Amino acid sequence: MLVDHFPLYGLRLRTPRLELRLADLEELGALGDVAAAGIHDGDEMPFATPWTDAPPEERARGTIQHFWSMLAGIRPAQWALPMVVFSAGAPIGMQEIHAEDFSVLRSVGSGSWLGQAHQGQGIGTEMRAAVLHLAFAGLGAEYAQSEAFDDNPASLRVSVKLGYEPDGQELRVVRGVKRKGQRFRLTRAAWERHRGIEVEMTGVEPCLPLLGARPEG
């Protein structure tokens, strides 16, 4: 079975409303449909790489290709895990968690997107809380980092609500324009103080060596 050789397909994160896991081929197609339907208004750009400027059919295909590319590149020294977010059994977005040299640095970053029809319901907070639980309780992380542009109040609110603290600013060029972003950092102690969403994890143990969370053997 696939999970015997690639245990990440057995990983499950569950919150009161959501399930986060890898998607199969049909579910990836449905996720592409969500991306094609829209993620934000056209005059906004919450991402450092403006991938959502693509036409709907290219946006859907790019979503599927990006998922595969992240899975293909996973190795203990560097990984990006594309957890698809499911609500009532249907995909509604993606919550990524990534790390480099995790076995030494014990730090993770994250990124996410959510179909526009599902925004404004607190789902963004719940899905990031799920991967933070994986990072701290499952993998033994000591820190988590995040970044959002000044004009992305939804992402900024999620970081503050979950206990992140300001960690400086970042300038980026997006669509040929200078944009200012805010960096945030979450310590294990702050995560413990701000835990308010119940998260259940299954299938974590077999994934630890692949994610650099425990030496193989």
Side-chain angles (χ1 to χ4, degrees), residues 58-124:
E58 292 182 19
R59 196 158 62 233
R61 183 168 59 250
T63 297
I64 296 168
Q65 290 175 313
H66 187 56
F67 176 89
W68 284 334
S69 70
M70 282 190 282
L71 285 190
I74 289 176
R75 60 189 191 278
Q78 185 175 6
W79 49 266
L81 183 58
M83 301 295 284
V84 177
V85 181
F86 291 83
S87 176
I92 61 172
M94 182 183 290
Q95 176 68 64
E96 176 225 343
I97 179 174
H98 58 265
E100 187 170 346
D101 294 320
F102 182 82
S103 63
V104 178
L105 301 177
R106 294 287 164 177
S107 180
V108 300
S110 63
S112 66
W113 64 266
L114 186 63
Q116 202 163 15
H118 306 281
Q119 297 173 12
Q121 305 171 41
I123 292 175

Side-chain angles (χ1 to χ4, degrees), residues 149-161:
F149 290 122
D150 287 350
D151 57 359
N152 188 358
S155 180
L156 296 172
R157 283 195 299 268
V158 170
S159 293
V160 172
K161 186 182 299 184

Side-chain angles (χ1 to χ4, degrees), residues 162-178:
L162 293 174
Y164 290 77
E165 297 180 353
D167 191 38
Q169 297 180 339
E170 190 80 25
L171 293 178
R172 297 185 180 274
V173 177
V174 182
R175 291 175 169 171
V177 177
K178 182 172 67 176

